[in-house]
Amino acid sequence: MKLDLTPILNRRVPVIDFDFTVDANEVPDAPDISEEITLDEPVRVCGRVCDNDGYMSLTATVSVDYSTVCDRCLAPLSESIEFEFSRIVTLNAALAGDDGIDEDDVLLVKEGGIDFDRDIIEELSLELPIYHLCEEDCPGLCSVCGKDLRGACTCKNEKEIDPRMETFKKLLENMNK
Ligand SMILES: [Zn+2]
Ligand SMILES: [Zn+2]
């Protein structure tokens, strides 16, 4: 989406608030988001551009709900992410090359506005966690049968019987003699 900054550029207002959504699938040349992650909705972007005498600063909160799977047991997970996005906004292309200012921190005004959808998706792709676990101590899947070690797998149960069960088993064996 293009955000019109002419009210600031014409010195009519010092601040412009914005609140919009970005559909990651509709952003041209958007960086790939991990295959394991599916965004459940368009990305919410809420923030403001402030005039600071000579340059403008943009700050925004970016958030989205997404679906993924546990890295160990492949259980489906519903997650959400929220992070802060900030940039210097300028008409001056040369500023981006100035000392101490990283080109990636600058948004250049074109035809009175800025379109930073791609920047949002790029930052999102960097902010999203690489690993997801359903619970911190998820035991994962059995390397023998491939089933969930928390229940469906029976290989482990045969190898490591609860000591109390062992006593009970012996008792049963003796009874059957
Ligand atoms: Zn898991
Ligand atoms: Zn197993």
Side-chain angles (χ1 to χ4, degrees):
M1 192 206 77
K2 183 162 172 184
L3 182 66
D4 180 23
L5 295 178
T6 49
I8 285 187
L9 297 171
N10 296 339
R11 304 233 161 217
R12 276 188 282 131
V13 299
V15 170
I16 292 175
D17 288 319
F18 55 83
D19 191 347
F20 62 94
T21 60
V22 181
D23 185 336
N25 299 316
E26 287 173 9
V27 177
D29 305 322
D32 285 337
I33 287 172
S34 160
E35 279 177 22
E36 313 279 295
I37 289 173
T38 309
L39 303 182
D40 295 339
E41 53 184 3
V43 181
R44 294 184 295 271
V45 185
C46 178
R48 59 176 24 184
V49 178
C50 297
D51 189 13
N52 301 311
D53 243 355
Y55 74 97
M56 290 166 276
S57 58
L58 178 147
T59 50
T61 301
V62 180
S63 60
V64 68
D65 293 340
Y66 64 95
S67 304
T68 186
V69 292
C70 171
D71 282 309
R72 289 192 197 141
C73 72
L74 305 179
L77 302 175
S78 291
E79 302 281 345
S80 61
I81 185 171
E82 182 175 302
F83 61 91
E84 298 303 312
F85 176 92
S86 62
R87 291 290 186 275
I88 291 166
V89 180
T90 179
L91 291 161
N92 180 1
L95 186 72
D98 275 7
D99 291 342
I101 299 177
D102 191 328
E103 210 173 316
D104 291 341
D105 292 336
V106 175
L107 292 174
L108 207 57
V109 178
K110 283 174 196 147
E111 289 156 21
I114 44 172
D115 183 339
F116 54 106
D117 289 357
R118 195 186 171 282
D119 301 75
I120 293 285
I121 301 304
E122 182 169 25
E123 193 125 327
L124 173 66
S125 72
L126 299 173
E127 292 278 345
L128 281 165
I130 298 169
Y131 300 108
H132 293 89
L133 292 177
C134 60
E135 48 192 86
E136 221 170 290
D137 55 355
C138 169
L141 301 178
C142 171
S143 56
V144 179
C145 70
K147 290 179 183 164
D148 196 319
L149 286 172
R150 275 168 301 200
C153 160
T154 51
C155 322
K156 197 182 171 221
N157 298 348
E158 279 161 25
K159 271 181 258 155
E160 294 171 11
I161 291 176
D162 186 313
R164 287 163 300 176
M165 281 301 288
E166 192 71 42
T167 318
F168 184 63
K169 206 175 153 194
K170 277 194 187 127
L171 210 78
L172 274 179
E173 277 166 11
N174 289 336
M175 276 170 69
N176 291 336
K177 269 178 192 166

